[in-house]
Amino acid sequence: MELWDAYYPDGTLAGTTLVRGEPIPPEYRHTVTEVLVVHRDGTILLMQRDHRKPIHPGTWESSAGGSALQGEDFETCARRELREETGLIAEHMEYLYEDVTDDTIYRGYLVTTDADKDSVVLQEGETIDYCWVPGAEYIKMLESGMCLSNSRGQLNDWLSMQKWK
């Protein structure tokens, strides 16, 4: 059973526990982090979702992330999810966005790395492949629907400021 801390929409802890798979009462939110990984050479890490995933099986996505476990703050969750899903360790994370929906508070981060590109590790049941793509190719993949970004479009501001090669 996966337990989450409940938050109010303003991001403060509510002092109660949520259980994954159970309905989230309308006054509460659970927290999810999303981490975009960019190599120092400008390429973006894409991970292919496991075909057994119930949502978007086999689809390429541009973020590692997931729900914060009980007791985790946003950044701790983001670092854990990044390590679990890619094997990469974030030395520094840059805050990109926050979005509040009817049941979730999403927080996005950017990690820039100079890690060996072959050092990415896949997570059983989560990811089955990875690739590094140039920014311009990434934009084309997003526009064509070949790659998921964060589903609510918060990366759009950051993407529009980049000068892709």
Side-chain angles (χ1 to χ4, degrees), residues 63-93:
S63 68
S67 297
L69 303 175
Q70 191 169 40
E72 281 186 322
D73 61 29
F74 283 99
E75 193 169 316
T76 301
C77 172
R79 289 177 185 281
R80 175 184 53 79
E81 289 286 349
L82 178 66
R83 186 183 67 255
E84 287 176 358
E85 293 184 10
T86 69
L88 300 175
I89 306 293
E91 292 180 23
H92 174 74
M93 300 185 99

Side-chain angles (χ1 to χ4, degrees), residues 67-161:
S67 297
L69 303 175
Q70 191 169 40
E72 281 186 322
D73 61 29
F74 283 99
E75 193 169 316
T76 301
C77 172
R79 289 177 185 281
R80 175 184 53 79
E81 289 286 349
L82 178 66
R83 186 183 67 255
E84 287 176 358
E85 293 184 10
T86 69
L88 300 175
I89 306 293
E91 292 180 23
H92 174 74
M93 300 185 99
E94 179 184 338
Y95 170 83
L96 288 179
Y97 61 83
E98 182 169 293
D99 186 34
V100 181
T101 66
D102 290 342
D103 62 1
T104 306
I105 300 173
Y106 293 91
R107 191 168 290 174
Y109 295 92
L110 170 69
V111 169
T112 303
T113 185
D114 60 357
D116 183 326
K117 290 183 175 184
D118 293 329
S119 68
V120 174
V121 177
L122 302 175
Q123 182 184 17
E124 177 66 31
E126 292 287 331
T127 56
I128 58 172
D129 201 2
Y130 72 93
C131 64
W132 295 90
V133 298
E137 183 178 337
Y138 170 66
I139 297 296
K140 288 178 187 172
M141 290 176 73
L142 287 174
E143 290 170 350
S144 72
M146 290 177 55
C147 179
L148 299 173
S149 176
N150 57 328
S151 59
R152 295 150 327 280
Q154 295 85 342
L155 284 177
N156 292 348
D157 288 341
W158 182 83
L159 290 169
S160 67
M161 294 184 322

